[in-house]
Amino acid sequence: MPRRTVLSLAAAVVVLGGGGAVALAYAGESAPSLAHSTARYAAPDGARDGSLTFTTDVTPSFGLKGVKVLAWPAKSSFAEKGLTTKDMASAESATCAPLDEDTVRCTYTTAVTRADAETSPRGAWHVAVLVTAKDGATTLDTKAAGFTIG
């Protein structure tokens, strides 16, 4: 094989390989995204506990480390100062299951006792979600969904 052909071929391999590495690096750095986030609050009724259920779809699903969920009243210190990833450190985790090839559906459910409902502020509430990928990329949505306690 002529030397010029070998050098051209080697240069093409380096360029194409470098482009692939850049594409993989870019894909690895993209933060996860949320879609179809919903919250459903059911107040306690008689002797039966109520519940709060939050659901969201996370894409991409590969490399997902965890999803944390925090419900907070709209009239709170978080509304004034803003919710941060540090505030989410002690939040509870959602459970995730594959929805399709690229997406997982994450669900968080908790019981709401009569005592919980009676001591909770009335009015609008928000659900904050922190999604963390294994590479450290995060997505924080402080108002992913909402519900009302009447």
Side-chain angles (χ1 to χ4, degrees), residues 2-138:
R3 181 181 167 139
R4 188 180 318 169
T5 304
V6 171
L7 289 175
S8 296
L9 183 58
V13 167
V14 169
V15 169
L16 291 175
V22 168
L24 284 174
Y26 178 75
E29 291 177 8
S30 63
S33 64
L34 305 172
H36 312 294
S37 299
T38 60
R40 189 176 69 242
Y41 172 76
D45 184 25
R48 180 186 58 83
D49 283 347
S51 64
L52 171 63
T53 301
F54 171 77
T55 304
T56 192
D57 296 342
V58 180
T59 305
S61 62
F62 57 87
L64 185 63
K65 182 177 179 182
V67 176
K68 293 199 170 214
V69 178
L70 176 69
W72 59 280
K75 294 180 182 177
S76 71
S77 61
F78 289 139
E80 296 168 15
K81 68 175 183 121
L83 193 64
T84 67
T85 56
K86 190 174 182 179
D87 296 319
M88 296 293 291
S90 61
E92 295 184 23
S93 296
T95 303
C96 300
L99 184 62
D100 61 32
E101 191 174 294
D102 298 325
T103 306
V104 292
R105 176 157 293 155
C106 300
T107 303
Y108 169 78
T109 301
T110 189
V112 178
T113 65
R114 179 163 301 288
D116 292 336
E118 289 172 357
T119 59
S120 295
R122 301 288 180 248
W125 282 64
H126 303 292
V127 178
V129 182
L130 175 65
V131 180
T132 305
K134 288 181 182 175
D135 68 359
T138 60

